[in-house]
């Protein structure tokens, strides 16, 4: 139940490719995942959609040195820097990739293709101009880890007090998430990322899974409108904190380059 946005896969494995740590074939396989195919449309010099291998090579030739992630939500333009047209497309998709070194961004459009029983997913990444400015509301890795741990402790206390899941599996899942920071963590990001980014991303994914579980109808004992409102109020800041932590983890590669660590 761990969530991995397509923008995260594109940024993480694209960064590994730009650094020369993975082959183009391995990079594309990791980005596409369970989807049927990914294409890139609007790339300078191309009249139509092209494959990921060509697109990533072209972006590097144009001067792209890294890729960042944005995970915006209504009222929270997380990771975005404008212009409004790009922000609106990214908000509709709930994710985007922003290039470092060249003022481009990529927003995915997802299609379900095929007859019933044989449906597959195709993705088109639209290349759009972006504003060269610091991304909105992205914390450092250290800040993200501290905020996430604190938010998770608070949510666990609130959900336990509300007896959200009756027998307590939601609260138990939260505690397990907090203790299992590094479990399977090395599979969470592409080669080249610092261990702390792997740890933060794994915990953020687990927390978002917890929020999704606790938000679903039928999983809790909170049945009155007041209890449901209390549950929503408790989970809202946790989900926001987890998204911020995910973005911080995916963007750690570029942040290290900017600080001269690489």
């Amino acid at each position: 139940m761990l969530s991995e946005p397509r923008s995260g896969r594109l940024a993480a494995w694209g960064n590994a490719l730009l650094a020369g740590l993975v082959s183009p074939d391995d990079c594309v396989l990791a980005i596409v995942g369970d989807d049927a195919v990914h294409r890139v449309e609007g790339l300078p010099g191309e009249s139509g959609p092209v494959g990921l291998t060509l697109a990533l090579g072209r972006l590097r030739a144009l001067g792209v040195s890294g890729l960042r992630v944005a995970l915006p939500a209504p009222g929270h333009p997380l990771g975005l820097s404008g212009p409004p047209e790009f922000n609106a497309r990214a908000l509709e998709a709930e994710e985007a990739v922003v290039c470092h070194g060249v003022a481009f961004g990529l927003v995915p459009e997802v299609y379900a293709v095929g007859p019933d029983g044989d449906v597959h997913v195709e993705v088109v990444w639209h290349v759009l101009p972006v504003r060269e400015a610091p991304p909105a509301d992205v914390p450092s890795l250290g800040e993200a880890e501290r905020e996430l741990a604190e938010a998770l402790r608070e949510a666990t206390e609130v959900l336990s007090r509300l007896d959200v899941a009756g027998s307590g599996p939601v609260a138990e899942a939260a505690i397990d998430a907090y203790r299992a920071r590094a479990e399977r963590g090395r599979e969470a990001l592409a080669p080249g990322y610092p261990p702390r980014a792997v740890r933060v991303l794994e915990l953020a994914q687990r927390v978002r899974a917890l929020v999704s579980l606790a938000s679903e109808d039928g999983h809790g004992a909170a049945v009155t409108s007041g209890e449901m409102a209390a549950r929503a109020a408790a989970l809202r800041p946790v989900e926001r904190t987890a998204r911020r932590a995910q973005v911080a983890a995916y963007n750690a590669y570029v942040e290290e380059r900017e600080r001269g660590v690489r």
Side-chain angles (χ1 to χ4, degrees):
M1 199 173 171
L2 301 182
S3 61
E4 184 179 26
R6 291 181 174 87
S7 56
R9 294 203 305 266
L10 177 58
W13 288 90
N15 283 331
L17 179 66
L18 291 170
L21 299 175
V22 297
S23 70
D25 287 346
D26 288 344
C27 173
V28 170
L29 283 174
I31 293 171
V32 173
D34 294 330
D35 298 334
V37 66
H38 284 216
R39 298 184 180 88
V40 180
E41 187 172 37
L43 200 62
E46 298 294 336
S47 58
V50 300
L52 276 176
T53 302
L54 190 156
L56 289 168
R58 179 64 56 80
L59 288 172
R60 176 162 50 188
L62 290 169
V64 173
S65 58
L67 300 169
R68 286 189 173 103
V69 168
L71 296 178
H76 189 204
L78 176 62
L80 299 176
S81 58
E85 294 80 6
F86 179 78
N87 287 5
R89 293 284 293 271
L91 181 58
E92 182 179 2
E94 299 182 339
E95 60 178 314
V97 171
V98 179
C99 299
H100 179 67
V102 179
F104 292 132
L106 298 92
V107 179
E109 189 170 5
V110 181
Y111 301 90
V113 179
D116 290 344
D118 189 27
V119 175
H120 61 275
V121 174
E122 297 183 0
V123 180
V124 176
W125 293 89
H126 297 278
V127 178
L128 303 165
V130 299
R131 182 180 298 140
E132 293 184 286
D137 198 36
V138 179
S140 68
L141 270 179
E143 291 170 337
E145 190 169 30
R146 289 190 298 271
E147 292 171 2
L148 194 56
E150 179 61 27
L152 187 52
R153 282 194 294 269
E154 292 178 358
T156 300
E157 293 174 2
V158 172
L159 294 176
S160 297
R161 187 166 61 249
L162 292 173
D163 194 23
V164 166
S167 60
V170 171
E172 291 172 9
I175 295 170
D176 176 68
Y178 181 67
R179 292 174 176 169
R181 295 173 182 231
E183 184 180 324
R184 296 199 344 257
R186 297 193 180 277
E187 300 174 11
L189 281 170
Y193 275 81
R196 192 175 204 176
V198 176
R199 186 169 68 246
V200 168
L201 180 60
E202 176 70 13
L203 180 57
Q205 289 175 329
R206 287 175 176 271
V207 171
R208 292 196 74 182
L210 162 68
V211 170
S212 176
L213 175 66
S215 299
E216 290 175 1
D217 291 336
H219 282 280
V223 293
T224 71
S225 59
E227 288 171 331
M228 293 177 66
R231 176 174 59 180
L235 295 175
R236 194 174 301 114
V238 178
E239 192 278 335
R240 183 185 181 103
T241 299
R243 277 191 298 109
R244 293 179 76 238
Q246 277 188 285
V247 171
Y250 284 121
N251 293 1
Y253 179 87
V254 173
E255 303 309 324
E256 285 198 346
R257 285 183 61 91
E258 288 187 331
R259 296 199 311 270
V261 175
R262 296 182 180 277

